[in-house]
Amino acid sequence: MTHISIVHDNIATQHVDAIVNAANPTLLGGGGVDCAIHAAAGPDLLKECKTLGGCKTGEAKKTRGYHLPAKYVIHTVGPVYHQHTPEKASELLASCYLNSLFLAKQYGIKTIAFPAISTGVYGFPKEDAAWIVHKTITDYISKDDWFTEIRFVLHSEKDYLLYKAYFKEF
């Protein structure tokens, strides 16, 4: 059975098979989570990202973790909320999580850590995003019990408490 855990921490310090990076479409580094992951992984992560040709919103690509405790980084590009209808933004956000899980499973990854994708500068309303993430993840694990752990690593106290409330049954 897949264990869901919620932690208030820095995603770049997580000891899991893969961490998910809330990347921008270039995959060449940015702010927030993306900056923290690139800084901790070292310059080889950027070198590998340059070979990937970017990433479309809702899709996911994998790199090595380099100096991170995680073996891999799965980069996904969340939607910029105001650039889409709420329905399309929700669909794209769910795709970020699902495509990250599909890619992880393809590479035999059993433990994965996610940040709160698109809820920072991309402006996705935090409550709406938490509900979408909860629905997406619980639907996924009800059909596929591949992962031993799906961890949500929230940098802010507010996000941590929000995810704790949504995932209280776990």
Side-chain angles (χ1 to χ4, degrees), residues 48-137:
E48 185 175 356
C49 285
K50 286 179 178 179
T51 70
L52 298 178
C55 186
K56 293 181 181 168
T57 302
E59 294 182 358
K61 295 191 176 182
K62 178 190 73 64
T63 62
R64 291 180 37 215
Y66 298 98
H67 298 295
L68 295 163
K71 186 174 181 180
Y72 301 107
V73 178
I74 295 176
H75 307 265
T76 191
V77 179
V80 177
Y81 189 75
H82 72 273
Q83 292 180 354
H84 306 279
T85 65
E87 296 78 19
K88 183 64 176 176
S90 298
E91 176 187 312
L92 289 167
L93 184 62
S95 292
C96 290
Y97 288 88
L98 288 174
N99 287 327
S100 295
L101 292 172
F102 296 152
L103 187 60
K105 184 176 178 184
Q106 179 183 342
Y107 285 93
I109 292 164
K110 300 287 272 181
T111 59
I112 186 168
F114 285 96
I117 298 165
S118 281
T119 61
V121 296
Y122 281 16
F124 210 107
K126 292 176 183 287
E127 283 266 350
D128 295 346
W131 181 85
I132 291 162
V133 171
H134 178 266
K135 181 175 179 358
T136 302
I137 297 300

